Amino acid sequence: MLKTYDPNQKDVIFAGYLLKGFADGSMVSVSSEGPGFEDAVGVDGEVTRVRKHDRRHTVTVSLMQTSESNDDLSALYAADRDAANGSGVGALRIVDRSGTTIFEAAKAWIQNDPDASFEATPTAREWEIRCASLSVNHGSNPDD
């Protein structure tokens, strides 16, 4: 059995923009706000499981400083900060076109400007995109 992963088969679409120009290394990372379940134990050892309904996630997208997608995200973030009522809120979709992994959020926004440094070689800009509720499917890749 052989499976193939191709990092160029990933689409990240945010607020209508297809993001391009990813940095080497961790191109996209997804982290949840907290666990789906917590538990508590009573004095007699009985365990109670508590379902948490917090579906917030942070998606970090790492772009090369030369990526034109930085212009798109900068404009979106500036518009969101300058206008009332969330003009920078949009849908987010991350898809592995060579497999079945997919992440989707109907309402997402840029949390903050990325940190920047200027060096002798190009550096990355890490954009944090916050999702109010992220639908997650950690899929697989088919056999070759």
Side-chain angles (χ1 to χ4, degrees):
M1 182 179 316
L2 175 68
K3 300 194 181 251
T4 301
Y5 166 76
D6 184 348
N8 285 330
Q9 294 297 308
K10 305 295 173 281
D11 286 339
V12 179
I13 303 163
F14 175 52
Y17 295 105
L18 175 63
L19 303 185
K20 296 183 179 186
F22 294 99
D24 194 23
S26 181
M27 303 178 330
V28 179
S29 66
V30 179
S31 61
S32 66
E33 184 66 24
F37 294 90
E38 290 182 353
D39 59 71
V41 64
V43 295
D44 61 356
E46 180 178 315
V47 175
T48 301
R49 188 170 82 132
V50 179
R51 180 184 316 270
K52 305 304 279 187
H53 295 278
D54 188 351
R55 303 284 191 266
R56 292 176 298 162
H57 284 70
T58 300
V59 173
T60 303
V61 177
S62 185
L63 300 174
M64 290 299 296
Q65 74 183 55
T66 55
S67 170
E68 292 178 8
S69 292
N70 288 311
D71 292 318
D72 298 331
L73 296 179
S74 290
L76 186 63
Y77 181 64
D80 197 20
R81 298 235 349 171
D82 293 341
N85 299 323
S87 67
V89 176
L92 174 70
R93 190 165 199 259
I94 303 167
V95 178
D96 178 357
R97 289 183 283 119
S98 65
T100 59
T101 297
I102 186 166
F103 299 91
E104 292 182 294
K107 296 186 186 310
W109 60 94
I110 297 169
Q111 181 134 342
N112 200 2
D113 276 318
D115 292 337
S117 66
F118 298 92
E119 301 175 17
T121 58
T123 59
R125 301 292 184 257
E126 292 189 348
W127 292 90
E128 288 187 358
I129 300 172
R130 192 76 163 145
C131 303
S133 179
L134 188 70
S135 171
V136 175
N137 181 60
H138 295 281
S140 62
N141 292 70
D143 292 341
D144 286 340

